[in-house]
């Protein structure tokens, strides 16, 4: 298609658009995929396209379907279109999120799925309460098979567009020995009886209606002359199928997205949806927005080089007319505390140059990484804010653990007692707790003492007395242990013996895995303080960090939370194997997970406008042991001409790096020869020995083992892995083992991480 050259008579919405953006606006008919790289002005193009359709009368406002992922994005689009075309935007009833639009549709056709138009939309708490009732009615142990796990499973099925009839035995086997499908069906029946649905139903019910009722489908296909979709790379299967049905007749669908920024598979997003757009809509126009208006050439070159290692992508190359700026800095530091110190120093240097604190952002792969930065910034008085989550010590699991520790340290801490007396659940309901409070007030004593006194009375039921007695005895036992046991070990004991760790392990959700990581980080943080009292005092100071809301602060957030944002300077912390890319992600997802981790790296780099600083530590303290860390494979993929490397390590580190760079890649057959594969984080055998010589020896040992494999292992042998437990070796390939674990199933691991059972 030949587009007209810019003209003074162009409508205002075309002003300032570059040639590809103009093409995205003016290519109105037929399927269009706009591949919009990070910082390339895709929102400007999308809103101008909507304005153009209205301005040229190609469609009335009510004939446009414009779908976003968030209410904030929908509001922004409505405001921007309104500034371009005025009041016409007020007549656009079909501009909103997937859920909002489907809810509006479903109100009109609710009877087709057994609901009334005034149906209720349940929130998460109501859903979980309903699922607990169904699990109990089915005589299933809710502690072993928690409602939250069932909720996650059903949500995943709904994201795929599956009704209970679509769930096969293999999928259903994932919950309560095959009861998942039956419970899903019972859950849907119960929702209908209540005239209710959950958020997943809004889309699933409309998808079901459009598939079954050709008249309803034809009505909407006729109504929507043009369809526009933002962030198409984040669509799940149900959203994809819904859009494809609506666009089948006219095929005037324009999807805007970036396959290189698809980072939400854990939420059900399918990057394959955007990759197969041309197959779904043959003859589609593919328009690439590649001119970046955010970052410097060095940052863009670094991000482009990293993402080029992915095989599953449509391909584009970002460029900019901006000045070259500073090269991407890669800083090697000794350990996590030094990483936090260096970032703090760099931010303070920026302050002295007149840079506001809110020009600086620290992006981490996992939430537990924020803890060391928070502690450091508190100690030097550097204001910060956590975005997209709680500050480390404000997270529910951390506050629960701290409450146990406070109660051991100070028996009269009634607030701590209240928080954990029934966490995990001990059968001590509100009535029992009220009785303890009444007794405490009557005798003017702490709740712990009142609880102990009630054990000899009949004011509580026998079951409540038993549970309360176990709790009071445990507190007393831990208090005795505190006299001779190091406080980090005491914390581990409390979390295990209280059942708190088991409660999170039984949850089996992505959130619970992160909460367990946070508890591990909490215990690690305690190792830096001489006593339990000193640690709790430090936490109190951290919690009192309530700087004025209007004060400029450093931003700390995860990479996932940073998508869509930008900052002049970005610090990318923890770029080490096992942390980034995430070891858990690689273990669970293989090559697709590695490619998503690499897309995360691309997103992280492209958040920076002027400067990107990548940090990796030679050592991390994990489970009380100093662990030698290998720099992330993504650092290897950075282009040398655009990178400055700096290290605080001594010459021994350089020697090791030379050895490491020359070793054969043990996972050469994975990730197109670019990946290092799981398992390269190697514990230093000498425990807390942190000398440069010891670290280099440990790394050299890891490299040596990785190349040639062990000679004491054989197929069929029973082995033990610290993470996956016991299993038998099914196959051996060099230093790589295929092991069938008794609890975790079949896994591929490095031989140096198993012992003979």
């Amino acid at each position: 298609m030949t587009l007209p050259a810019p003209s003074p008579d162009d409508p205002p919405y075309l002003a300032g658009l570059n040639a590809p953006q103009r093409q995205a606006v003016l290519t109105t008919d037929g399927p269009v995929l706009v591949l919009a790289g990070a910082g390339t002005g895709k929102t400007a193009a999308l809103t101008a396209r909507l304005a153009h359709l209205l301005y040229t009368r190609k469609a009335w406002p009510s004939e446009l379907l414009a779908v976003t992922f968030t209410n904030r994005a929908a509001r922004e689009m409505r405001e921007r279109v309104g500034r371009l075309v005025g009041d016409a935007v007020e007549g656009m009833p079909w501009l909103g999120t997937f859920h909002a639009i489907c809810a509006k549709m479903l109100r009109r056709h609710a009877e087709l799925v057994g609901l009334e138009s005034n149906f209720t939309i349940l929130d998460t708490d109501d859903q979980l309460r309903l699922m607990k009732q169904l699990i109990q009615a089915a005589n299933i142990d809710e502690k072993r098979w928690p409602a939250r796990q069932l909720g996650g499973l059903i949500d995943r099925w709904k994201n795929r567009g599956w009704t209970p009839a679509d769930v096969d035995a293999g999928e259903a086997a994932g919950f309560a020995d095959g009861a998942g499908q039956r419970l899903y069906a019972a859950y849907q029946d119960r929702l209908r009886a209540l005239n209710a649905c959950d958020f997943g139903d809004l889309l699933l019910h409309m998808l079901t209606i459009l598939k079954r009722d050709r008249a309803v489908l034809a009505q909407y296909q006729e109504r929507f002359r043009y369809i526009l979709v933002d962030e198409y790379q984040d669509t799940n299967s149900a959203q994809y199928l819904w859009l494809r049905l609506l666009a089948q007749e006219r095929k005037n669908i324009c999807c805007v997205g970036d396959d290189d920024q698809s980072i939400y598979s854990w939420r059900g997003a399918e990057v394959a949806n955007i990759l197969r757009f041309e197959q779904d809509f043959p003859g589609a126009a593919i328009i690439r927005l590649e001119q970046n208006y955010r970052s410097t050439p060095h940052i863009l070159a670094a991000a482009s080089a990293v993402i080029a290692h992915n095989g599953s992508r449509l391909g584009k190359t970002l460029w900019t007319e901006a000045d070259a700026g500073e090269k991407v800095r890669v800083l090697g530091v000794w350990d996590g505390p030094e990483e936090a110190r260096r970032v703090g120093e760099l931010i303070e240097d920026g302050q002295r140059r007149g840079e506001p604190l809110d020009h600086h952002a620290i992006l981490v792969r996992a939430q537990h990484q924020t803890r060391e930065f928070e502690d450091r910034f508190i100690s030097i008085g550097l204001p910060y804010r956590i975005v997209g989550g709680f500050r480390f010590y404000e997270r529910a699991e951390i506050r629960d653990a701290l409450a146990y520790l406070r109660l051991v340290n100070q028996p009269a801490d009634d607030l701590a007692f209240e928080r954990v007396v029934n966490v995990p659940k001990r059968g001590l309901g509100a009535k029992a707790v009220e009785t303890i409070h009444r007794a405490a007030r009557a005798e003017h004593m702490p709740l712990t003492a009142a609880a102990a006194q009630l054990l000899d009375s009949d004011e509580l039921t026998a079951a409540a007395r038993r549970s309360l007695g176990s709790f009071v005895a445990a507190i007393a036992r831990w208090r005795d242990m505190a006299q001779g046991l190091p406080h980090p070990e005491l914390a581990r004991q409390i979390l295990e013996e209280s059942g708190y760790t088991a409660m999170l392990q039984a949850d089996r959700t992505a959130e619970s895995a992160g909460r367990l990581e946070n508890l591990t980080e909490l215990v690690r943080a305690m190792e830096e303080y001489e006593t339990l009292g000193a640690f709790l005092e430090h936490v109190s100071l951290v919690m009192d960090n309530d700087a004025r809301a209007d004060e400029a602060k450093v931003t700390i957030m995860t990479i996932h939370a940073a998508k869509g944002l930008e900052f002049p300077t970005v610090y990318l912390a923890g770029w080490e194997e096992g942390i980034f890319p995430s070891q858990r992600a690689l273990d669970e997802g293989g090559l697709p997970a590695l490619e998503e981790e690499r897309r995360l790296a691309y997103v992280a780099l492209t958040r920076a406008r002027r400067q990107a600083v990548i940090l990796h530590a030679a050592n991390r303290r994990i489970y009380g042991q100093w662990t030698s860390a290998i720099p992330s494979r993504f650092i290897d993929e950075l282009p040398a001409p655009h990178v400055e490397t700096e290290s605080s390590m001594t010459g021994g580190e350089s020697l090791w790096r030379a050895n490491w760079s020359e070793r054969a890649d043990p996972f050469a057959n994975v990730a197109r020869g670019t990946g290092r594969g799981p398992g390269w984080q190697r514990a230093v055998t000498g425990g807390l020995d942190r000398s440069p010589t010891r670290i280099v020896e440990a790394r050299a040992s890891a490299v040596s083992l990785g190349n040639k494999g062990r000679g004491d292992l054989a197929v069929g042998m029973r082995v033990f892995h610290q993470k996956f437990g016991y299993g038998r070796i099914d196959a051996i390939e060099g230093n790589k083992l295929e092991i069938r674990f008794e609890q975790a199933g079949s896994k591929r691991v490095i031989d140096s991480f198993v012992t003979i059972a």
Side-chain angles (χ1 to χ4, degrees), residues 167-287:
V167 178
D168 60 27
E171 279 286 338
F175 188 86
D177 302 319
Q181 190 268 354
R182 176 163 44 90
L183 288 169
Y184 181 17
Y187 173 66
Q188 294 301 98
D189 289 342
R190 183 70 177 132
L191 287 176
R192 287 189 181 88
L194 294 169
N195 190 35
C197 63
D198 59 27
F199 278 95
D201 284 326
L202 297 175
L203 202 100
L204 181 65
H205 283 329
M206 276 314 304
L207 183 59
T208 300
I209 291 169
L210 295 178
K211 285 180 177 178
R212 291 178 181 172
D213 196 308
R214 302 301 299 178
V216 174
L217 175 61
Q219 173 188 333
Y220 284 108
Q221 287 178 336
E222 175 65 23
R223 171 183 291 275
F224 299 135
R225 300 182 68 85
Y226 293 92
I227 299 173
L228 296 92
V229 188
D230 192 17
E231 303 287 6
Y232 188 60
Q233 78 280 351
D234 293 334
T235 53
N236 61 37
S237 294
Q239 292 161 341
Y240 160 78
L241 293 169
W242 179 79
L243 287 167
R244 197 174 67 175
L245 281 170
L246 293 175
Q248 266 181 357
E249 186 66 26
R250 296 184 184 274
K251 295 185 172 55
N252 289 334
I253 181 170
C254 174
C255 294
V256 181
D258 183 3
D259 53 323
D260 292 334
Q261 295 188 73
S262 179
I263 58 174
Y264 296 119
S265 65
W266 49 277
R267 268 189 344 207
E270 295 276 359
V271 68
N273 295 344
I274 193 170
L275 295 178
R276 65 177 172 227
F277 186 86
E278 288 182 279
Q279 299 174 27
D280 292 333
F281 299 100
I286 309 297
I287 301 169

Side-chain angles (χ1 to χ4, degrees), residues 715-721 724-731 737-749 754:
V715 172
M717 186 176 287
R718 193 166 188 261
V719 294
F720 177 78
H721 187 282
F724 302 124
Y726 291 97
R728 291 195 179 276
I729 300 175
D730 281 345
L737 307 176
E738 190 77 33
I739 300 177
R740 187 174 63 258
F741 290 101
E742 295 169 5
Q743 300 297 325
S746 184
K747 301 285 183 183
R748 192 174 174 88
V749 302
V754 302

Side-chain angles (χ1 to χ4, degrees), residues 294-454:
R294 175 190 300 161
S295 305
T296 67
H298 285 309
I299 292 171
L300 296 182
S304 296
V306 170
I307 199 63
H309 285 77
N310 270 4
S312 302
R313 61 189 298 259
L314 296 171
K316 61 187 170 305
T317 303
L318 299 184
W319 61 277
T320 180
E321 294 178 343
D323 294 336
E326 296 185 36
K327 291 185 177 182
V328 173
R329 295 178 66 185
V330 177
L331 304 184
V333 296
W334 182 250
D335 56 15
E338 186 187 347
E339 179 180 60
R341 284 196 301 272
R342 288 298 305 275
V343 171
E345 290 167 0
L346 291 171
I347 293 172
E348 288 179 324
D349 288 344
Q351 274 188 297
R352 286 188 282 273
R353 294 191 298 269
E355 297 174 6
L357 286 179
D358 54 10
H359 281 201
H360 299 262
I362 301 165
L363 306 187
V364 297
R365 174 62 181 87
Q367 285 191 340
H368 68 83
Q369 293 174 255
T370 70
R371 203 273 310 165
E372 280 181 337
F373 292 102
E374 293 185 62
D375 284 357
R376 177 62 183 169
F377 292 173
I378 287 293
S379 70
I380 63 176
L382 195 65
Y384 70 90
R385 63 183 182 131
I386 301 291
V387 175
F390 296 104
R391 291 186 296 177
F392 183 81
Y393 292 108
E394 291 176 346
R395 291 165 185 146
E397 64 276 9
I398 300 300
R399 295 183 75 113
D400 289 343
L402 289 173
Y404 274 109
L405 294 169
R406 285 163 47 197
L407 199 54
V408 168
N409 189 63
Q410 173 51 267
D413 192 332
D414 286 353
L415 291 176
F417 180 94
E418 287 179 326
R419 186 174 184 95
V420 297
V421 67
N422 201 35
V423 179
K425 298 290 185 185
R426 297 186 175 90
L428 296 169
K431 186 175 180 180
V433 175
E434 182 183 335
T435 301
I436 299 170
H437 270 281
R438 190 167 56 248
R441 287 194 301 270
E443 299 295 332
H444 302 288
M445 60 174 58
L447 292 176
T448 306
Q453 185 170 291
L454 283 172

Side-chain angles (χ1 to χ4, degrees), residues 45-206:
L46 188 56
T47 52
R49 181 182 175 89
L50 274 173
H52 180 67
L53 292 170
L54 294 171
Y55 184 84
T56 57
R57 303 289 179 89
K58 282 185 169 291
W60 295 108
S62 61
E63 295 175 322
L64 295 176
L65 172 62
V67 189
T68 67
F69 270 85
T70 65
N71 289 315
R72 181 178 63 83
R75 283 195 303 272
E76 181 184 0
M77 189 178 298
R78 187 177 294 275
E79 290 168 1
R80 293 178 69 157
V81 174
R83 288 196 293 268
L84 294 173
V85 297
D87 294 340
V89 71
E90 298 303 323
M92 290 184 63
W94 303 104
L95 190 163
T97 65
F98 280 99
H99 288 115
I101 290 170
C102 284
K104 185 180 296 186
M105 288 181 170
L106 189 56
R107 297 279 180 201
R108 300 182 176 191
H109 310 286
E111 74 282 355
L112 297 178
V113 286
L115 297 173
E116 297 176 19
S117 61
N118 64 341
F119 60 80
T120 300
I121 303 173
L122 300 187
D123 61 21
T124 303
D125 286 343
D126 288 335
Q127 294 170 41
L128 291 177
R129 192 176 302 114
L130 181 54
M131 290 179 190
K132 286 180 181 178
Q133 294 172 4
L134 295 172
I135 289 171
Q136 291 168 0
N139 293 318
I140 294 171
D141 182 1
E142 208 266 333
K143 289 184 178 179
R144 183 180 178 191
W145 302 102
R148 191 172 297 276
Q149 183 187 352
L150 177 62
L153 195 61
I154 290 176
D155 185 60
R156 186 162 71 247
W157 289 338
K158 289 184 177 182
N159 286 340
R160 294 176 181 174
W162 292 355
T163 65
D166 298 317
V167 178
D168 60 27
E171 279 286 338
F175 188 86
D177 302 319
Q181 190 268 354
R182 176 163 44 90
L183 288 169
Y184 181 17
Y187 173 66
Q188 294 301 98
D189 289 342
R190 183 70 177 132
L191 287 176
R192 287 189 181 88
L194 294 169
N195 190 35
C197 63
D198 59 27
F199 278 95
D201 284 326
L202 297 175
L203 202 100
L204 181 65
H205 283 329
M206 276 314 304

Side-chain angles (χ1 to χ4, degrees), residues 361-366 369-370 373 555-563 565 567 569-575 600 603-608 613:
I362 301 165
L363 306 187
V364 297
R365 174 62 181 87
Q369 293 174 255
T370 70
F373 292 102
T555 298
I556 307 175
M557 63 200 312
T558 65
I559 303 171
H560 282 101
K563 186 172 179 290
L565 302 178
F567 303 89
T569 301
V570 170
Y571 304 91
L572 308 176
W575 278 43
L600 262 179
V603 167
L605 282 163
T606 54
R607 298 312 92 196
V613 182

Side-chain angles (χ1 to χ4, degrees), residues 9 176 202 655 706 731 750 753:
D9 298 327
L202 297 175
L655 172 63
I750 297 289
F753 284 84

